[in-house]
Amino acid sequence: LSSQFTNNFLNTMRQRSVIVLASIASTSAWAPAFGTSRYVGINRAMASLKAAAMPPLTTHFEQHLPLARDAMKFIDDSPDPFHVVQTARRALDEFGFKEWKDDDDDALEPGGMYYFTRNKSTLVAFCVGKNYQPGKGFKIIGSHTDSPNLKVKPRSKRTTSKLGGPSGVIQLGVECYGGGLWHTWFDRDLGVSGRVFVNDESTGKIRQELVKIDHAILRIPNLAIHLQTAKERESFSYNKEDHLSPILASAVKDSLTGSSEEKETPDNTSGDNGWSKHQEPLLVQMLATKLGVMTENIVDFELNLFDVQPASLGGVRSEFIHSARLDNLASCFLSLKGLLEHV
């Protein structure tokens, strides 16, 4: 490089960027261009910056990351109480626990590990101590498997707006379950999970199937900013019945053609006490496709909405878990983890 170009470049950098000067002056070859006193000053400034820099991110938090990731997977696999029990059962089976049923004739043995379930939403797991004697007592820990959420109503169909005219979209009827922070449900990608009751024609019995649709089929959008007053934006007030009904699909085609996919759904109300006529046909069709059954064989369901965004580590040192349903799946996970590590 020519000396003239070098001097021009250095003069520009002196005025605009101390950091660039410091990096350029890190080799002694540039010292004459800066002058000895300036070169020494820059080195001192660099030493000061290094002393004040953020501590290395390799900290004692790293030893807890495997536990945190296990917790995140547990939460992601458990969007509702039925999946919580299924996830816990899978872990217990892998660890060697035996499912204990009411009609089992086998006696509980010292050193045995057992579990049983109720309604597919409750699980009890226990271990019998090898030296256990009646009257010595036992320790117990409990955690509830449900979390505040938006549940699909028993009558899920809601295809018109509050004013009774076409809304332009197909919405799903939902209700609030538990003491949720409902304002946080707006503008989230929502899926559906739970259990579906299916009429098994081969046996003539009703069986339960778990379902988890973990892509964004539903959304509760905020109203556009120019459709609200400043006071409404400031207060963010909402009506649970009118404003929390998620959008499932567009109804524009039906509005333009006068047709409806509901009419194309087979009429199967004769044997289900009119249950199906109160259900959103698109929801039933989606469930049937997911489970590989006919729509007319679905006789009931118990479903809730959940945020499809998976859990993640947060904080500059990954010291936080960001996730939905921390109340109370964090306790469920640690209860299960504690039991497995104890035995």
Side-chain angles (χ1 to χ4, degrees), residues 195-266:
R195 62 178 172 181
V196 180
F197 296 88
V198 179
N199 181 21
D200 191 335
E201 294 180 346
S202 62
T203 62
K205 297 181 179 181
I206 304 297
R207 72 174 190 269
Q208 299 183 35
E209 297 281 354
L210 297 191
V211 64
K212 179 185 177 186
I213 301 175
D214 55 0
H215 57 274
I217 60 171
L218 295 164
R219 194 173 184 88
I220 307 171
N222 265 298
L223 193 61
I225 186 172
H226 54 279
L227 298 179
Q228 303 177 75
T229 65
K231 185 176 181 181
E232 288 174 331
R233 292 195 299 270
E234 181 179 352
S235 62
F236 191 64
S237 59
Y238 57 90
N239 181 285
K240 294 179 182 179
E241 187 64 27
D242 294 334
H243 301 148
L244 288 179
S245 295
I247 294 174
L248 177 64
S250 170
V252 173
K253 178 182 176 181
D254 297 341
S255 300
L256 294 176
T257 63
S259 63
S260 172
E261 294 193 30
E262 176 185 351
K263 298 176 183 178
E264 300 172 6
T265 304

Coordinates of all heavy atoms in Angstrom, one line a residue, residues 195-266:
R195 N -58.3 -36.4 23.2 CA -58.7 -37.7 22.9 C -60.0 -37.7 22.1 O -60.8 -36.8 22.3 CB -58.9 -38.6 24.2 CG -59.9 -38.1 25.1 CD -60.0 -39.0 26.3 NE -60.9 -38.5 27.4 CZ -61.2 -39.1 28.5 NH1 -60.6 -40.3 28.8 NH2 -62.0 -38.6 29.4
V196 N -60.2 -38.7 21.3 CA -61.3 -38.8 20.4 C -61.9 -40.2 20.7 O -61.2 -41.2 20.8 CB -60.9 -38.7 18.9 CG1 -62.2 -38.8 18.0 CG2 -60.2 -37.3 18.7
F197 N -63.3 -40.2 20.8 CA -64.0 -41.5 21.0 C -64.5 -42.0 19.6 O -65.2 -41.3 18.9 CB -65.2 -41.3 21.9 CG -64.7 -40.9 23.3 CD1 -64.6 -39.5 23.6 CD2 -64.5 -41.8 24.3 CE1 -64.2 -39.1 24.9 CE2 -64.1 -41.4 25.6 CZ -63.9 -40.1 25.9
V198 N -64.1 -43.2 19.3 CA -64.3 -43.8 18.0 C -65.1 -45.0 18.1 O -64.8 -45.9 18.9 CB -63.0 -44.1 17.2 CG1 -63.3 -44.7 15.9 CG2 -62.2 -42.8 17.1
N199 N -66.1 -45.2 17.3 CA -67.0 -46.4 17.2 C -66.2 -47.4 16.4 O -66.0 -47.3 15.2 CB -68.3 -46.1 16.6 CG -69.2 -47.3 16.6 OD1 -69.0 -48.3 17.3 ND2 -70.2 -47.3 15.7
D200 N -65.8 -48.5 17.1 CA -65.0 -49.6 16.4 C -66.1 -50.6 15.9 O -66.6 -51.3 16.6 CB -64.1 -50.2 17.4 CG -63.1 -51.2 16.7 OD1 -63.4 -51.7 15.6 OD2 -62.0 -51.4 17.2
E201 N -66.3 -50.5 14.6 CA -67.3 -51.4 14.0 C -67.0 -52.9 14.1 O -67.8 -53.7 14.1 CB -67.5 -51.0 12.5 CG -68.1 -49.6 12.3 CD -68.3 -49.3 10.9 OE1 -67.8 -50.0 10.0 OE2 -69.0 -48.3 10.6
S202 N -65.7 -53.2 14.2 CA -65.3 -54.6 14.2 C -65.6 -55.2 15.6 O -65.9 -56.4 15.7 CB -63.8 -54.7 14.0 OG -63.0 -54.0 15.0
T203 N -65.6 -54.4 16.6 CA -65.9 -55.0 18.0 C -67.3 -54.5 18.5 O -67.8 -55.0 19.5 CB -64.8 -54.6 19.0 OG1 -64.8 -53.1 19.1 CG2 -63.5 -55.1 18.5
G204 N -67.8 -53.4 17.9 CA -69.0 -52.9 18.4 C -68.9 -52.0 19.7 O -69.8 -51.7 20.3
K205 N -67.6 -51.7 20.0 CA -67.3 -50.9 21.2 C -66.7 -49.6 20.9 O -66.3 -49.3 19.7 CB -66.3 -51.7 22.1 CG -66.9 -53.0 22.6 CD -65.8 -53.7 23.5 CE -66.4 -55.1 24.0 NZ -65.4 -55.7 24.9
I206 N -66.8 -48.7 21.8 CA -66.2 -47.4 21.7 C -64.7 -47.4 22.2 O -64.5 -47.8 23.4 CB -67.0 -46.3 22.4 CG1 -68.4 -46.3 22.0 CG2 -66.4 -44.9 22.3 CD1 -68.6 -45.9 20.5
R207 N -63.8 -47.0 21.4 CA -62.4 -46.9 21.9 C -61.9 -45.5 21.9 O -62.5 -44.6 21.2 CB -61.5 -47.8 21.0 CG -61.3 -47.2 19.6 CD -60.2 -48.0 18.8 NE -59.8 -47.4 17.6 CZ -60.4 -47.5 16.4 NH1 -61.4 -48.4 16.3 NH2 -59.9 -46.9 15.4
Q208 N -60.9 -45.2 22.7 CA -60.3 -43.9 22.8 C -59.0 -43.8 22.0 O -58.2 -44.7 22.1 CB -60.1 -43.5 24.2 CG -61.3 -43.5 25.1 CD -61.0 -43.1 26.5 OE1 -60.1 -42.2 26.8 NE2 -61.7 -43.7 27.5
E209 N -58.9 -42.8 21.2 CA -57.7 -42.5 20.5 C -57.1 -41.2 20.8 O -57.9 -40.2 20.9 CB -57.9 -42.6 19.0 CG -58.4 -43.9 18.4 CD -57.3 -44.9 18.3 OE1 -56.1 -44.5 18.4 OE2 -57.6 -46.1 17.9
L210 N -55.8 -41.1 21.1 CA -55.2 -39.8 21.4 C -54.8 -39.2 20.1 O -54.4 -39.8 19.1 CB -53.9 -40.0 22.3 CG -54.1 -40.5 23.7 CD1 -52.8 -40.4 24.5 CD2 -55.3 -39.8 24.4
V211 N -55.0 -37.8 20.0 CA -54.6 -37.1 18.8 C -53.8 -35.9 19.2 O -54.1 -35.2 20.2 CB -55.9 -36.7 18.0 CG1 -56.8 -35.8 18.9 CG2 -55.6 -36.1 16.7
K212 N -52.9 -35.5 18.3 CA -52.1 -34.3 18.5 C -51.7 -33.8 17.1 O -51.0 -34.3 16.4 CB -50.8 -34.7 19.3 CG -49.8 -33.5 19.5 CD -48.5 -33.9 20.1 CE -47.6 -32.7 20.2 NZ -46.2 -33.2 20.7
I213 N -52.4 -32.6 16.8 CA -52.2 -31.9 15.6 C -51.3 -30.7 15.9 O -51.8 -29.7 16.4 CB -53.5 -31.5 14.9 CG1 -54.4 -32.8 14.7 CG2 -53.2 -30.8 13.6 CD1 -55.7 -32.5 14.2
D214 N -50.0 -30.9 15.7 CA -49.0 -29.9 16.1 C -48.6 -28.9 15.0 O -47.4 -28.6 15.0 CB -47.9 -30.5 16.8 CG -47.2 -31.6 15.9 OD1 -47.6 -31.7 14.8 OD2 -46.2 -32.2 16.4
H215 N -49.5 -28.5 14.2 CA -49.2 -27.4 13.3 C -50.3 -26.4 13.4 O -51.3 -26.6 13.9 CB -49.0 -27.9 11.8 CG -50.1 -28.6 11.2 ND1 -50.3 -30.0 11.4 CD2 -51.2 -28.2 10.5 CE1 -51.4 -30.3 10.8 NE2 -52.0 -29.3 10.2
A216 N -50.0 -25.2 12.9 CA -50.8 -24.0 13.2 C -52.1 -24.0 12.4 O -52.3 -23.4 11.4 CB -50.1 -22.7 12.9
I217 N -53.1 -24.8 12.9 CA -54.4 -24.8 12.2 C -55.3 -23.8 12.8 O -56.4 -23.5 12.1 CB -55.0 -26.2 12.4 CG1 -55.2 -26.6 13.8 CG2 -54.2 -27.3 11.7 CD1 -56.1 -27.8 14.1
L218 N -55.0 -23.2 13.9 CA -55.9 -22.2 14.5 C -55.1 -20.9 14.9 O -53.9 -21.0 15.2 CB -56.5 -22.8 15.8 CG -57.5 -24.0 15.6 CD1 -57.8 -24.7 16.9 CD2 -58.8 -23.5 15.0
R219 N -55.8 -19.8 15.0 CA -55.2 -18.6 15.5 C -56.2 -17.6 16.0 O -57.3 -17.6 15.4 CB -54.4 -17.9 14.3 CG -53.4 -16.8 14.8 CD -52.6 -16.4 13.6 NE -51.6 -15.4 14.0 CZ -50.4 -15.6 14.4 NH1 -50.0 -16.9 14.6 NH2 -49.5 -14.7 14.8
I220 N -55.9 -16.9 17.0 CA -56.8 -15.9 17.6 C -56.1 -14.5 17.3 O -55.2 -14.1 18.0 CB -57.0 -16.0 19.1 CG1 -57.5 -17.4 19.4 CG2 -57.9 -15.0 19.6 CD1 -57.5 -17.8 20.9
P221 N -56.4 -13.9 16.2 CA -55.7 -12.7 15.8 C -56.1 -11.4 16.5 O -57.3 -11.3 17.0 CB -56.1 -12.5 14.3 CG -57.4 -13.1 14.2 CD -57.5 -14.2 15.2
N222 N -55.2 -10.5 16.7 CA -55.5 -9.2 17.2 C -56.2 -8.4 16.2 O -56.0 -8.7 15.0 CB -54.2 -8.5 17.7 CG -54.0 -8.6 19.2 OD1 -54.8 -8.2 20.0 ND2 -52.8 -9.2 19.5
L223 N -57.0 -7.5 16.6 CA -57.7 -6.6 15.6 C -56.7 -5.6 15.1 O -55.8 -5.1 15.8 CB -58.8 -5.8 16.3 CG -59.8 -5.1 15.4 CD1 -60.5 -6.1 14.4 CD2 -60.8 -4.3 16.2
A224 N -56.7 -5.3 13.8 CA -55.8 -4.4 13.1 C -55.8 -3.0 13.9 O -56.8 -2.6 14.4 CB -56.1 -4.2 11.7
I225 N -54.7 -2.4 13.9 CA -54.5 -1.2 14.8 C -55.4 -0.1 14.3 O -55.9 0.7 15.2 CB -53.0 -0.7 14.7 CG1 -52.8 0.4 15.7 CG2 -52.6 -0.4 13.3 CD1 -51.4 0.8 15.9
H226 N -55.7 0.1 13.0 CA -56.6 1.1 12.5 C -58.0 0.9 12.7 O -58.9 1.7 12.4 CB -56.3 1.5 11.1 CG -56.4 0.3 10.2 ND1 -55.4 -0.7 10.0 CD2 -57.4 -0.2 9.4 CE1 -55.8 -1.6 9.2 NE2 -57.0 -1.3 8.8
L227 N -58.4 -0.3 13.3 CA -59.8 -0.6 13.6 C -60.0 -0.5 15.1 O -61.1 -0.9 15.6 CB -60.1 -2.0 13.1 CG -60.0 -2.3 11.6 CD1 -60.3 -3.7 11.3 CD2 -60.9 -1.3 10.9
Q228 N -59.1 0.1 15.8 CA -59.3 0.3 17.3 C -59.0 1.7 17.6 O -58.2 2.4 16.9 CB -58.3 -0.6 18.0 CG -58.4 -2.1 17.8 CD -57.3 -2.9 18.5 OE1 -57.4 -3.1 19.7 NE2 -56.3 -3.3 17.8
T229 N -59.6 2.2 18.7 CA -59.3 3.5 19.2 C -58.1 3.4 20.0 O -57.7 2.3 20.5 CB -60.5 4.0 20.0 OG1 -60.7 3.2 21.2 CG2 -61.8 4.0 19.2
A230 N -57.5 4.6 20.3 CA -56.4 4.6 21.2 C -56.7 4.1 22.6 O -55.9 3.4 23.2 CB -55.8 6.1 21.3
K231 N -57.9 4.4 23.0 CA -58.3 3.9 24.4 C -58.4 2.3 24.4 O -58.0 1.7 25.3 CB -59.6 4.5 24.8 CG -60.1 4.1 26.2 CD -61.3 4.9 26.5 CE -61.8 4.5 28.0 NZ -63.0 5.2 28.3
E232 N -58.9 1.8 23.3 CA -59.1 0.3 23.2 C -57.7 -0.3 23.1 O -57.5 -1.4 23.7 CB -59.9 0.0 22.0 CG -61.4 0.3 22.1 CD -62.1 0.0 20.8 OE1 -61.5 0.2 19.7 OE2 -63.3 -0.3 20.9
R233 N -56.8 0.3 22.4 CA -55.4 -0.3 22.3 C -54.7 -0.2 23.7 O -54.0 -1.2 24.0 CB -54.6 0.4 21.3 CG -55.0 0.2 19.8 CD -54.0 0.7 18.8 NE -53.7 2.1 19.0 CZ -54.3 3.1 18.3 NH1 -55.3 2.7 17.5 NH2 -54.0 4.3 18.4
E234 N -54.9 0.8 24.4 CA -54.3 1.0 25.7 C -54.8 0.0 26.7 O -54.1 -0.6 27.5 CB -54.5 2.4 26.2 CG -53.8 2.7 27.6 CD -54.1 4.1 28.0 OE1 -54.6 4.9 27.2 OE2 -53.7 4.4 29.1
S235 N -56.1 -0.3 26.7 CA -56.7 -1.1 27.7 C -56.6 -2.6 27.3 O -56.6 -3.5 28.2 CB -58.2 -0.8 27.9 OG -58.9 -0.9 26.7
F236 N -56.6 -2.9 26.0 CA -56.6 -4.2 25.5 C -57.7 -5.1 26.2 O -57.5 -6.1 26.7 CB -55.2 -4.9 25.7 CG -55.1 -6.2 24.9 CD1 -55.2 -6.2 23.5 CD2 -55.0 -7.4 25.6 CE1 -55.1 -7.4 22.8 CE2 -54.9 -8.6 24.9 CZ -55.0 -8.6 23.5
S237 N -58.9 -4.6 26.2 CA -60.0 -5.3 26.8 C -60.6 -6.3 25.7 O -60.6 -6.0 24.5 CB -61.1 -4.3 27.2 OG -61.6 -3.5 26.1
Y238 N -61.1 -7.4 26.2 CA -61.6 -8.4 25.3 C -62.7 -9.2 26.0 O -62.7 -9.3 27.3 CB -60.5 -9.4 24.8 CG -59.8 -10.1 26.0 CD1 -60.2 -11.3 26.5 CD2 -58.6 -9.5 26.5 CE1 -59.6 -11.9 27.5 CE2 -58.0 -10.1 27.6 CZ -58.4 -11.3 28.1 OH -57.8 -12.0 29.1
N239 N -63.6 -9.7 25.2 CA -64.7 -10.6 25.8 C -64.3 -12.0 25.5 O -64.0 -12.4 24.3 CB -66.0 -10.2 25.1 CG -67.2 -11.0 25.6 OD1 -67.3 -12.1 25.2 ND2 -68.0 -10.4 26.4
K240 N -64.3 -12.8 26.5 CA -63.9 -14.2 26.4 C -64.8 -15.0 25.4 O -64.2 -15.8 24.6 CB -63.9 -14.9 27.7 CG -62.9 -14.4 28.7 CD -63.1 -15.2 30.0 CE -62.1 -14.6 31.1 NZ -62.2 -15.3 32.4
E241 N -66.0 -14.7 25.3 CA -66.9 -15.4 24.4 C -66.8 -14.9 23.0 O -66.8 -15.7 22.1 CB -68.4 -15.3 24.9 CG -69.4 -16.1 24.1 CD -69.2 -17.6 24.3 OE1 -68.6 -18.0 25.4 OE2 -69.6 -18.4 23.4
D242 N -66.7 -13.6 22.8 CA -66.7 -13.1 21.4 C -65.3 -13.0 20.8 O -65.2 -13.2 19.6 CB -67.3 -11.7 21.4 CG -68.7 -11.7 21.8 OD1 -69.4 -12.7 21.6 OD2 -69.2 -10.7 22.3
H243 N -64.2 -12.8 21.6 CA -62.9 -12.5 21.0 C -61.9 -13.6 21.1 O -60.8 -13.5 20.6 CB -62.4 -11.3 21.7 CG -63.2 -10.1 21.6 ND1 -63.3 -9.1 22.6 CD2 -64.1 -9.7 20.6 CE1 -64.2 -8.2 22.2 NE2 -64.6 -8.5 21.0
L244 N -62.2 -14.7 21.8 CA -61.3 -15.8 21.9 C -61.6 -17.0 21.0 O -61.0 -18.1 21.2 CB -61.2 -16.3 23.4 CG -60.5 -15.3 24.4 CD1 -60.5 -15.9 25.8 CD2 -59.0 -15.1 23.9
S245 N -62.5 -16.9 20.1 CA -62.9 -18.0 19.2 C -61.8 -18.0 18.1 O -61.8 -17.1 17.3 CB -64.3 -17.8 18.6 OG -65.2 -17.9 19.7
P246 N -61.0 -19.0 18.0 CA -60.0 -19.1 17.0 C -60.5 -19.3 15.6 O -61.5 -19.9 15.4 CB -59.1 -20.2 17.4 CG -60.1 -21.1 18.1 CD -61.1 -20.2 18.8
I247 N -59.7 -18.8 14.6 CA -60.1 -19.0 13.2 C -59.5 -20.3 12.7 O -58.3 -20.6 12.9 CB -59.5 -17.8 12.3 CG1 -60.2 -16.5 12.7 CG2 -59.6 -18.1 10.9 CD1 -59.6 -15.3 12.0
L248 N -60.4 -21.1 12.1 CA -60.0 -22.4 11.6 C -59.7 -22.4 10.1 O -58.8 -23.1 9.6 CB -61.0 -23.5 11.9 CG -60.8 -24.9 11.4 CD1 -59.6 -25.5 12.1 CD2 -62.1 -25.7 11.7
A249 N -60.5 -21.6 9.3 CA -60.4 -21.6 7.9 C -61.2 -20.4 7.3 O -61.9 -19.7 8.1 CB -61.0 -22.9 7.3
S250 N -61.0 -20.2 6.1 CA -61.7 -19.1 5.4 C -63.1 -19.6 4.9 O -63.2 -20.7 4.4 CB -60.9 -18.6 4.2 OG -61.6 -17.7 3.4
A251 N -64.0 -18.7 4.9 CA -65.4 -19.0 4.4 C -65.7 -18.2 3.2 O -66.9 -18.2 2.8 CB -66.4 -18.8 5.5
V252 N -64.7 -17.7 2.5 CA -64.9 -16.8 1.4 C -65.5 -17.6 0.2 O -66.5 -17.2 -0.4 CB -63.6 -16.2 0.9 CG1 -63.8 -15.5 -0.4 CG2 -63.1 -15.2 2.0
K253 N -65.1 -18.8 0.0 CA -65.6 -19.7 -1.0 C -67.1 -19.9 -0.8 O -67.9 -19.8 -1.8 CB -64.9 -21.0 -1.1 CG -65.4 -22.0 -2.1 CD -64.6 -23.3 -2.1 CE -65.3 -24.3 -3.1 NZ -64.5 -25.6 -3.1
D254 N -67.5 -20.2 0.4 CA -68.9 -20.5 0.7 C -69.7 -19.2 0.5 O -70.8 -19.3 0.0 CB -69.0 -21.0 2.1 CG -68.3 -22.3 2.4 OD1 -68.1 -23.0 1.4 OD2 -68.1 -22.7 3.5
S255 N -69.1 -18.1 0.9 CA -69.9 -16.8 0.7 C -70.1 -16.5 -0.7 O -71.2 -16.0 -1.1 CB -69.1 -15.7 1.4 OG -68.9 -15.9 2.8
L256 N -69.1 -16.8 -1.6 CA -69.2 -16.4 -3.0 C -70.1 -17.4 -3.8 O -70.8 -17.0 -4.7 CB -67.8 -16.4 -3.7 CG -66.9 -15.2 -3.2 CD1 -65.5 -15.4 -3.8 CD2 -67.5 -13.9 -3.5
T257 N -70.0 -18.7 -3.4 CA -70.7 -19.7 -4.2 C -72.1 -20.1 -3.6 O -72.9 -20.7 -4.2 CB -69.9 -21.0 -4.3 OG1 -69.6 -21.5 -3.0 CG2 -68.5 -20.7 -5.0
G258 N -72.2 -19.7 -2.3 CA -73.5 -20.1 -1.6 C -73.5 -21.5 -1.2 O -74.5 -22.1 -0.7
S259 N -72.3 -22.2 -1.3 CA -72.2 -23.6 -0.9 C -71.6 -23.7 0.4 O -71.0 -22.7 0.9 CB -71.4 -24.4 -1.9 OG -70.1 -23.9 -2.0
S260 N -71.6 -24.8 1.0 CA -71.0 -25.0 2.3 C -70.4 -26.4 2.4 O -71.1 -27.4 2.0 CB -71.9 -24.8 3.5 OG -71.4 -25.1 4.7
E261 N -69.2 -26.6 3.0 CA -68.7 -27.9 3.2 C -69.5 -28.7 4.2 O -69.4 -29.9 4.2 CB -67.2 -27.8 3.6 CG -66.3 -27.2 2.5 CD -64.9 -27.4 2.9 OE1 -64.5 -28.4 3.5 OE2 -64.0 -26.6 2.4
E262 N -70.2 -28.0 5.0 CA -71.1 -28.7 6.0 C -72.1 -29.6 5.3 O -72.4 -30.7 5.7 CB -71.8 -27.7 6.9 CG -72.7 -28.3 7.9 CD -73.5 -27.2 8.6 OE1 -73.2 -26.1 8.5 OE2 -74.5 -27.6 9.3
K263 N -72.6 -29.1 4.1 CA -73.6 -29.8 3.4 C -73.0 -31.1 2.8 O -73.7 -32.1 2.5 CB -74.2 -29.0 2.3 CG -74.9 -27.7 2.8 CD -75.4 -26.9 1.6 CE -76.1 -25.6 2.1 NZ -76.5 -24.7 1.0
E264 N -71.7 -31.1 2.5 CA -71.0 -32.2 1.9 C -70.7 -33.3 3.0 O -70.3 -34.4 2.6 CB -69.8 -31.8 1.2 CG -70.0 -30.7 0.1 CD -68.8 -30.2 -0.5 OE1 -67.7 -30.7 0.0 OE2 -68.8 -29.2 -1.3
T265 N -70.8 -33.0 4.2 CA -70.5 -33.9 5.3 C -71.7 -34.9 5.4 O -72.8 -34.5 5.5 CB -70.3 -33.2 6.6 OG1 -69.3 -32.3 6.5 CG2 -69.9 -34.2 7.7
P266 N -71.4 -36.2 5.4 CA -72.5 -37.2 5.5 C -73.4 -36.9 6.7 O -72.9 -36.6 7.8 CB -71.8 -38.5 5.6 CG -70.4 -38.3 5.0 CD -70.1 -36.9 5.3

